[in-house]
Amino acid sequence: MYVKGVGPARAAMLEAKGLSTVEDLLVYPPFRYEDRTNVKTIAQLAPGEMATVIAEVRTAKLSTFRRRDLGLFEATFTDASRAVLLVKWFHAAYLADVLQPGQRVALYGKVEYDSYAGQLSMVHPEYEILSEEDEADAALHVGRVVPIYEAAGKITTRVFRRLIHGVLERLTPPPDALPASIRRRLRLPDLWTALRSLHFPPEQEDLRLLNAFRTPAQIRLIFEEFFWLQYGLAVKRSSARRESGIAFELNDRVRERIKQMLPFKPTAAQKRVLAEIAADMARPHPMNRLLQGDVGSGKTLVAAEAAIIAIENGYQVAMLAPTEILAAQHYYYFRNLFQKLGYQVGLLTGSSTKREKTLMKKLLAEGLVHFAVGTHALLEEDVEFRRLGLAIIDEQHRFGVLQRLRFIRKGVRPDVLVMTATPIPRTLALTLYGDLDVSVIDELPPGRKPIITRHVTEDQIEWVWSFLRKQIEAGRQAYVVYPAIEESETQARKAAEKMYRHLSQVVFPDLRVGLLHGRMPAEEKEAVMESFKRGETQILVSTTVIEVGVDVPNATVMVIEQAERFGLAQLHQLRGRVGRGAEQSYCILVTGPLNDVSRERIRTLVESTDGFYIAEMDLKLRGPGEFFGTRQAGMPSLRVANIVRDAELLELARREASDFLASGPEEEQRRALEYVRTHWQRRFGLAQVG
Ligand code: ADP
Ligand code: MG
């Protein structure tokens, strides 16, 4: 459809925001609403009230003298009442290029009396410059509750208002896809009513509800978005359940072999989770299961048990890990566990030599390696298995959907077990992994003492070093870590190298200090890790390469430098490297000055060691987009809904979707299926529903 007011330039700006169709535009929600019903002339204004005026700029200037540093921008406005309003914006030097005498502007804010100037004023009002074009439909922008949109390029909130209003005026109401039976029962308004009130709320609508996104119209649109997402996922789950797969046999011999492997008595949670996995594996359909658990809860051991089931049934197992360090770590762990059982464990990574790769590929293809661990190298075209029965993906969120599919295709409908290194908040798990069944290990192995976490500032570092020395003298080991965000691994490496020199030469010349970072050749990394594991190295200075998987129970101190710069999940993960033995462990967070958000993060960590709680806080503090960092793969794009704000609507939609799939009216089901088939992929950017 042609939208009035959208030429090629605007179309490109809209496109860049992901708005390429009329439908996209219609569900582009305002991010807040303003009550501009109280429109007055300047002469009518009274101090203390919130009001809107439409007035002309008379003077506008960036304040000179000392206040220039504040970027104080002052303007006076006047209107037909001839009274004058003084308006101030601080830190707003940019306004010098925006506001010019003669312009007509809508101002919305709190009226004050400026006793210094002896005049009515507003400080930091919302403002909108009204063009002639706007004059025509001024009624859209003032005198009502007004939607405020995030700008897209040069498309301002006003332009959005006009475009969307135009579309709503001219469009024939689109059909409502949401099943009528659900709409009736939940008393949701129909689509067209909902869309209109989302953008131009009816007069009596409560502003607080609007800004909380809890009007019936908003609830309906949020619910609908979640509903289709969850329904699509439910359809996927149920069709996967009908696919035929491998039915692994779980007999006494397999149980005996598992017992033989186990280095300790599994916790009750590990037992329960294994039972869930084993039941899946025994079914003649492919397993699709997510294994969640806090750092150190013993997920790897459960994965090993599952692997034994597959291997004893004559199948191979492959495990995909996101980094070389982690792959190597898993390789040693499993080789060690499986030695007694006579299984062959293989490692394949990007830094394997050509000869090693060729050999490993041959062994895999001939079925001579039972358990293969690897990085992306495992996904290469020419890596073939003789009989892959179980595919394990560690840290799924680092892999995209396509990589997951490619991995799974190495076998014929193998069972799939996905593991996460850090707990994921339930809402996010439902959105991201909604097509998987979930098992949770909610208990740590016995004898673990909760880690004591302390926050210190950089000027207290000497205290940290003396504490560290005491621990080393008591026979323990320690990590000193420079966390790196993806782009700044080099910076972190430099900081770690510098600290390494400082600690090894100045602070602890008498102790054995080691250095580990991502750029080291794989062999050197391994040598450094081995030396730390054997207890020869007492202090390991490192970048975040040790973030996941490292397991040295004698290490009891984790010092994290520049802790304010990193996300909660990452800090929690790092902290999980200690507290793995019987001794009391400590985590020391060293920071510079903190802003509000980083203070909140640090406080959360000091107060809690519960990974699930921390993950929830992380999601709240950083928002869904940032939770896993910017490279999050496979996150569906939500438009109206927000998984932090709308968690309970997500739960509702999930229940409704699965009930509907199980027992919705037939005709409605047929239409719903048709709807997800045609809309799902575009809507959520996820793989197609079967
Ligand atoms: P995760 O992968 O969940 O972070 P790991 O599997 O690495 O945790 O286990 C953490 C540590 O706890 C390892 O040293 C592991 O050997 C040990 N462990 C696992 N299960 C048990 C258990 N049931 N009893 C005692 N120790 C255990
Ligand atoms: Mg692990």
Side-chain angles (χ1 to χ4, degrees):
M1 178 182 142
Y2 166 78
V3 177
K4 189 169 165 241
V6 179
R10 277 184 177 169
M13 287 176 220
L14 290 170
E15 186 87 46
K17 255 238 175 331
L19 306 172
S20 44
T21 66
V22 171
E23 191 209 334
D24 294 339
L25 202 56
L26 283 178
V27 291
Y28 184 66
F31 70 95
R32 69 187 173 82
Y33 300 82
E34 244 169 55
D35 183 357
R36 295 188 188 162
T37 44
N38 191 19
V39 185
K40 298 203 160 163
T41 63
I42 296 177
Q44 289 169 327
L45 295 178
E49 69 176 340
M50 296 295 293
T52 302
V53 292
I54 297 178
E56 190 167 298
V57 183
R58 214 174 58 170
T59 65
K61 66 171 198 302
L62 189 59
S63 197
T64 47
F65 193 48
R66 287 218 311 275
R67 290 206 254 172
R68 187 182 194 110
D69 302 339
L70 293 176
L72 174 65
F73 189 83
E74 286 183 310
T76 54
F77 289 82
T78 187
D79 63 7
S81 73
R82 319 199 65 131
V84 175
L85 179 70
L86 173 68
V87 177
K88 296 179 184 184
W89 285 275
F90 290 93
H91 304 290
Y94 65 92
L95 281 179
D97 300 324
V98 178
L99 284 182
Q100 264 118 39
Q103 282 169 333
R104 276 174 60 76
V105 178
L107 296 164
Y108 165 76
K110 187 167 180 195
V111 182
E112 291 172 31
Y113 182 73
D114 187 319
S115 53
Y116 181 75
Q119 196 167 12
L120 284 181
S121 73
M122 284 185 178
V123 179
H124 268 279
E126 300 296 328
Y127 71 93
E128 282 182 23
I129 300 166
L130 302 174
S131 63
E132 262 164 47
E133 212 179 352
D134 295 316
E135 293 289 311
D137 44 26
L140 274 187
H141 311 297
V142 287
R144 68 194 308 158
V145 171
V146 175
I148 312 288
Y149 302 90
E150 214 169 87
K154 284 189 184 140
I155 305 183
T156 60
T157 182
R158 268 179 330 286
V159 178
F160 268 117
R161 225 173 273 147
R162 209 164 49 230
L163 289 178
I164 292 171
H165 188 261
V167 170
L168 287 170
E169 290 282 275
R170 274 182 290 275
L171 196 68
T172 20
D176 192 342
L178 195 62
S181 58
I182 293 178
R183 217 176 68 213
R184 267 196 309 274
R185 193 158 34 77
L186 300 179
R187 302 217 182 90
L188 300 172
D190 67 89
L191 178 64
W192 190 236
T193 309
L195 285 173
R196 280 193 335 235
S197 353
L198 172 72
H199 297 288
F200 299 99
E203 239 167 74
Q204 71 281 6
E205 201 71 273
D206 183 330
L207 190 71
R208 269 169 316 184
L209 278 185
L210 271 170
N211 279 322
F213 273 77
R214 283 299 173 271
T215 66
Q218 292 163 326
I219 287 175
R220 134 116 212 186
L221 294 167
I222 293 165
F223 172 84
E224 178 176 19
E225 190 161 40
F226 282 142
F227 177 81
W228 289 123
L229 177 63
Q230 292 299 327
Y231 179 69
L233 291 167
V235 170
K236 265 181 128 172
R237 263 196 320 261
S238 91
S239 61
R241 279 202 195 104
R242 283 193 302 270
E243 242 180 76
S244 62
I246 308 160
F248 294 98
E249 201 185 322
L250 183 57
N251 51 31
D252 286 343
R253 202 175 71 93
V254 178
R255 286 198 189 89
E256 202 42 55
R257 297 287 271 172
I258 291 178
K259 249 191 224 146
Q260 211 181 330
M261 175 275 297
L262 284 175
F264 359 69
K265 210 162 122 340
T267 61
Q270 283 172 320
K271 277 191 198 151
R272 188 192 65 235
V273 164
L274 179 68
E276 289 165 3
I277 292 172
D280 271 5
M281 290 182 74
R283 276 183 211 117
H285 308 288
M287 165 170 79
N288 281 298
R289 190 166 279 276
L290 173 69
L291 176 53
Q292 281 221 69
D294 208 344
V295 189
S297 61
K299 294 181 288 283
T300 324
L301 201 65
V302 173
E305 294 175 309
I308 292 175
I309 299 177
I311 295 170
E312 289 301 319
N313 276 268
Y315 285 89
Q316 290 166 289
V317 178
M319 181 172 197
L320 186 62
T323 66
E324 299 220 343
I325 285 259
L326 188 52
Q329 188 74 33
H330 281 317
Y331 169 70
Y332 292 119
Y333 187 89
F334 283 99
R335 199 180 56 175
N336 188 25
L337 279 181
F338 289 159
Q339 215 156 26
K340 302 169 255 190
L341 305 183
Y343 296 165
Q344 291 304 313
V345 179
L347 177 67
L348 187 70
T349 70
S351 67
S352 308
T353 63
K354 204 155 175 248
R355 259 193 60 218
E356 286 167 342
K357 278 186 190 162
T358 315
L359 178 64
M360 188 51 59
K361 285 174 192 169
K362 188 160 172 288
L363 293 175
L364 290 175
E366 288 172 0
L368 295 174
V369 162
H370 303 101
F371 189 98
V373 187
T375 55
H376 290 82
L378 266 185
L379 301 176
E380 276 164 32
E381 206 61 48
D382 58 349
V383 176
E384 286 165 19
F385 289 81
R386 197 175 78 83
R387 225 175 163 220
L388 180 64
L390 174 64
I392 304 173
I393 306 176
D394 199 12
E395 284 218 81
Q396 157 81 10
H397 70 266
R398 302 233 194 151
F399 298 101
V401 177
L402 291 179
Q403 286 169 320
R404 178 164 136 198
L405 280 178
R406 224 157 117 188
F407 186 44
I408 293 167
R409 296 229 172 90
K410 300 276 176 202
V412 181
R413 304 223 178 88
D415 280 4
V416 177
L417 183 65
V418 166
M419 306 206 293
T420 60
T422 350
I424 304 171
R426 181 175 158 79
T427 50
L428 197 56
L430 286 182
T431 326
L432 207 48
Y433 304 125
D435 54 341
L436 305 178
D437 298 306
V438 180
S439 289
V440 179
I441 307 184
D442 51 6
E443 172 187 6
L444 293 180
R448 298 274 174 84
K449 294 198 181 82
I451 301 164
I452 295 174
T453 303
R454 289 270 180 279
H455 168 219
V456 303
T457 45
E458 281 155 356
D459 52 326
Q460 296 163 293
I461 198 71
E462 290 308 322
W463 173 86
V464 176
W465 299 147
S466 70
F467 178 77
L468 214 132
R469 180 177 284 281
K470 271 188 231 131
Q471 286 284 309
I472 307 273
E473 279 165 2
R476 308 282 89 75
Q477 290 165 276
Y479 300 97
V480 177
V481 177
Y482 283 84
I485 36 181
E486 217 89 34
E487 312 81 65
S488 72
E489 165 74 25
T490 316
Q491 225 179 314
R493 192 194 75 217
K494 283 190 185 143
E497 280 169 349
K498 197 166 148 212
M499 182 53 78
Y500 167 69
R501 284 193 298 273
H502 180 65
L503 290 184
S504 60
Q505 291 163 14
V506 182
V507 187
F508 304 116
D510 53 325
L511 300 181
R512 292 181 302 275
V513 184
L515 173 68
L516 186 71
H517 61 71
R519 290 289 158 74
M520 289 160 78
E523 272 166 44
E524 209 178 320
K525 275 188 224 166
E526 256 167 51
V528 171
M529 274 318 301
E530 274 308 306
S531 154
F532 190 67
K533 266 192 200 165
R534 285 196 301 269
E536 290 161 14
T537 299
Q538 294 162 302
I539 300 172
L540 185 62
V541 180
S542 134
T543 60
T544 15
V545 290
I546 64 150
E547 183 183 340
V548 277
V550 177
D551 192 17
V552 179
N554 189 47
T556 56
V557 189
M558 167 64 67
V559 178
I560 305 176
E561 295 270 357
Q562 300 168 4
E564 72 276 22
R565 297 177 46 202
F566 302 94
L568 269 175
Q570 193 181 15
L571 292 171
H572 177 64
Q573 186 67 35
L574 276 170
R575 176 169 64 180
R577 298 306 107 201
V578 296
R580 301 186 151 237
E583 303 294 334
Q584 176 64 55
S585 284
Y586 304 87
C587 174
I588 302 171
L589 306 167
V590 186
T591 73
L594 298 178
N595 65 25
D596 287 351
V597 176
S598 50
R599 181 169 303 114
E600 189 65 26
R601 272 208 296 264
I602 300 290
R603 202 170 58 100
T604 305
L605 274 171
V606 170
E607 283 173 1
S608 173
T609 52
D610 175 349
F612 283 92
Y613 169 76
I614 288 168
E616 291 286 350
M617 287 300 289
D618 200 18
L619 184 60
K620 283 205 180 103
L621 291 172
R622 286 207 283 179
E626 290 294 310
F627 181 75
F628 284 124
T630 45
R631 289 204 313 150
Q632 170 53 32
M635 180 70 191
S637 45
L638 296 170
R639 300 191 289 204
V640 189
N642 171 317
I643 58 170
V644 177
R645 182 192 63 201
D646 305 324
E648 89 280 7
L649 288 174
L650 172 58
E651 296 285 355
L652 175 68
R654 181 176 151 86
R655 279 195 306 275
E656 289 293 335
S658 74
D659 290 354
F660 180 71
L661 184 67
S663 59
E666 227 165 86
E667 176 57 22
E668 286 187 1
Q669 284 212 34
R670 202 186 49 70
R671 260 184 279 136
L673 201 58
E674 184 59 33
Y675 182 81
V676 284
R677 287 218 168 102
T678 47
H679 285 68
W680 214 63
Q681 182 165 24
R682 203 185 98 66
R683 181 84 184 242
F684 298 111
L686 293 179
Q688 192 59 293
V689 177

